[in-house]
Amino acid sequence: MPLIKDLSIEMNGVRCENPFFLSSSPVSSNYEMCARAFDAGWAGVVYKTIGFFIANEVSPRFDHVRDGSGWSGFKNMEQISDKPLERNLEMLARLKRDYPEKVVVASIMGSNEQEWQELARLSEEAGVDILECNFSCPQMTSDAMGSDVGQNDDLVARYTAAVKRGSSLPVWAKMTPNIGQMEIPALAAQKAGANGIAAINTVKSLTGIDLNSFTPEPQIRGKSSISGYSGRAIKPIALRFIAQLMQHPEFRLPISGQGGIYTWEDAVHFLLLGSRTLQVTTSVMEHGYRIVEDLKSGLSHYMQDKGFERVEDMVGLSLQNTVAAEELNRDRIIYPHFDHKSCIGCGQCHLSCQDGAHQAIHWDHQSRKPTLDKAKCPGCHLCLNVCPVAGCITPGEVISKQAC
């Protein structure tokens, strides 16, 4: 019997049976997909963005960057839903009717205040639990919608206020990472009445270029365009923005975190930096809805090992240990320790130290083992990061710089 703890958590007064949601994307495009996700164990669905605008999509529309373990990143050129608004509202109503204990979030996008207000009203009439304002889709064909809006704090405030006029439901503002300071539009949304922030949407990107046709991928009749990048590669960017939002002295909203969640460890990282719910797309596109079983099981075991009774107990615990660069301790050096018994003699540590660091590792060509020159080593740990053998190079002796 797998260990499953009570993973429930509340956000904006809405009870979620666990923190895991599908994000607004191709994985939440219709009733049947969302129903299968609920049956698989997802607590909530942010339905693919609806609006009066009906997308006319390109073909093909996806591309990826692969590493040894699968996709490291994924490019998606889809816009919002390609279905009529009335049909989407019918499916939202049916989802809430058939799955009353699950959380149904309507992601909405208008092109003016009247559209935002009306979409909010219609979505509430359909019975959804929460509204998410999509201020961040990077591939819209109109600059009146999408990430261009999310970079304009005045529009974010006006459209958030319009949504609040149209509905009494909790409202999340979904942020674009294609900006220097996410705090500015997030605080504008907060001031206009938003109840939560969803972060982050995809990062504007080009994934690669065909070396024969000289056209970026994916190619649409010999052309391509910049569009959203997701997956493992953007997780560090998401964590950075979430930490900065949570640490801003004026920011007071709960966060629904997203951006590169593949494993339960990824999920814990987002929770520790302050996210209360977690949204997932790219890993579902690669591995299917059933990954939620691994997410729930891994999170349960972690909570058991660490003695957490509730998911709530771990939210934001890492924020106190995330500080500005000038607050870091700079008084000591931690030398690397080499375990020669597990060393395979590849020489990667020597090579990288010679050409990428401080020339502090000598190489014995007879024994094919490294030795450390402490007089040159600043304890950067590049050697530890490039070593292919787990546990071969570890943090070792700690000294004060004053003793050097």
Side-chain angles (χ1 to χ4, degrees):
M1 177 82 61
L3 171 68
I4 297 294
K5 292 181 70 72
D6 177 6
L7 301 180
S8 64
I9 191 167
E10 284 194 3
M11 183 158 170
N12 301 128
V14 177
R15 182 186 182 279
C16 313
E17 65 184 56
N18 61 61
F20 301 113
F21 284 48
L22 296 184
S23 47
S24 170
S25 69
V27 303
S28 56
S29 294
N30 58 48
Y31 173 88
E32 289 76 16
M33 297 177 79
C34 296
R36 282 194 287 113
F38 284 150
D39 292 339
W42 295 84
V45 162
V46 185
Y47 191 89
K48 187 174 174 67
T49 303
I50 64 174
F52 295 97
F53 174 88
I54 299 177
N56 179 21
E57 301 291 3
V58 296
S59 174
R61 66 193 70 165
F62 301 140
D63 190 37
H64 70 275
V65 176
R66 179 176 291 275
D67 61 21
S69 59
W71 296 348
S72 59
F74 183 77
K75 181 183 178 184
N76 173 14
M77 300 178 75
E78 276 197 8
Q79 303 178 82
I80 67 173
S81 177
D82 58 359
K83 302 175 183 60
L85 177 60
E86 295 75 15
R87 187 178 172 195
N88 282 320
L89 291 168
E90 290 171 2
M91 287 191 276
L92 284 167
R94 186 179 166 200
L95 275 173
K96 194 59 195 176
R97 182 193 68 204
D98 294 350
Y99 295 90
E101 301 302 318
K102 301 286 187 177
V103 182
V104 177
V105 183
S107 174
I108 59 176
M109 182 189 290
S111 61
N112 55 53
E113 290 183 47
Q114 291 71 31
E115 287 190 5
W116 282 101
Q117 182 171 337
E118 184 66 0
L119 287 167
R121 185 186 69 80
L122 293 170
S123 297
E124 183 170 10
E125 283 185 358
V128 305
D129 301 289
I130 296 169
L131 301 174
E132 182 178 275
C133 301
N134 186 341
F135 295 138
S136 46
C137 178
Q139 50 258 7
M140 296 303 295
T141 53
S142 166
D143 58 11
M145 296 182 283
S147 61
D148 288 338
V149 171
Q151 297 173 67
N152 183 324
D153 56 303
D154 177 60
L155 285 179
V156 167
R158 285 168 48 195
Y159 291 163
T160 301
V163 171
K164 294 296 291 185
R165 290 195 297 272
S167 168
S168 60
L169 294 174
V171 174
W172 299 349
K174 187 170 183 178
M175 296 286 107
T176 174
N178 302 297
I179 192 170
Q181 291 182 283
M182 190 177 287
E183 301 95 314
I184 295 173
L187 290 171
Q190 174 180 287
K191 188 175 181 180
N195 305 96
I197 294 295
I200 61 172
N201 206 321
T202 54
V203 179
K204 287 186 175 181
S205 69
L206 289 173
T207 46
I209 298 174
D210 185 285
L211 299 184
N212 296 311
S213 67
F214 317 123
T215 304
E217 303 287 357
Q219 300 180 49
I220 299 97
R221 299 196 70 177
K223 305 291 182 183
S224 194
S225 66
I226 293 170
S227 60
Y229 196 59
S230 61
R232 291 185 176 93
I234 74 164
K235 177 188 153 190
I237 300 170
L239 294 179
R240 164 242 167 161
F241 276 122
I242 290 170
Q244 287 183 319
L245 286 176
M246 291 298 297
Q247 292 181 321
H248 193 283
E250 298 176 22
F251 185 75
R252 299 182 298 277
L253 299 180
I255 290 179
S256 184
Q258 57 196 293
I261 297 174
Y262 264 68
T263 67
W264 68 265
E265 291 96 333
D266 297 329
V268 171
H269 294 168
F270 277 79
L271 292 167
L272 291 174
L273 285 174
S275 300
R276 297 186 66 82
T277 60
L278 307 166
Q279 299 187 30
V280 180
T281 282
T282 310
S283 51
V284 170
M285 295 184 79
E286 192 172 6
H287 301 296
Y289 295 132
R290 290 188 63 184
I291 66 165
V292 75
E293 297 174 9
D294 292 336
L295 294 173
K296 291 193 297 183
S297 175
L299 180 57
S300 294
H301 281 280
Y302 176 77
M303 292 172 63
Q304 181 81 2
D305 290 345
K306 297 298 181 184
F308 294 124
E309 291 300 320
R310 305 175 304 162
V311 174
E312 173 88 34
D313 295 339
M314 70 178 76
V315 173
L317 288 182
S318 292
L319 291 170
Q320 62 181 333
N321 299 325
T322 307
V323 299
E326 61 269 25
E327 298 178 47
L328 293 173
N329 180 288
R330 298 174 187 274
D331 296 335
R332 65 179 191 166
I333 295 174
I334 305 175
Y335 291 125
H337 170 74
F338 299 92
D339 178 7
H340 285 175
K341 292 183 179 178
S342 60
C343 176
I344 60 174
C346 68
Q348 184 65 53
C349 58
H350 168 69
L351 174 68
S352 293
C353 186
Q354 285 294 109
D355 294 352
H358 300 275
Q359 301 80 52
I361 296 177
H362 300 304
W363 186 247
D364 186 322
H365 291 277
Q366 294 297 321
S367 65
R368 298 195 62 79
K369 302 296 181 188
T371 56
L372 185 67
D373 183 345
K374 292 183 178 178
K376 292 183 177 179
C377 179
C380 73
H381 291 194
L382 176 61
C383 52
L384 190 153
N385 282 274
V386 300
C387 180
V389 180
C392 178
I393 306 177
T394 55
E397 180 185 4
V398 181
I399 66 163
S400 165
K401 287 184 178 177
Q402 293 180 340
C404 294

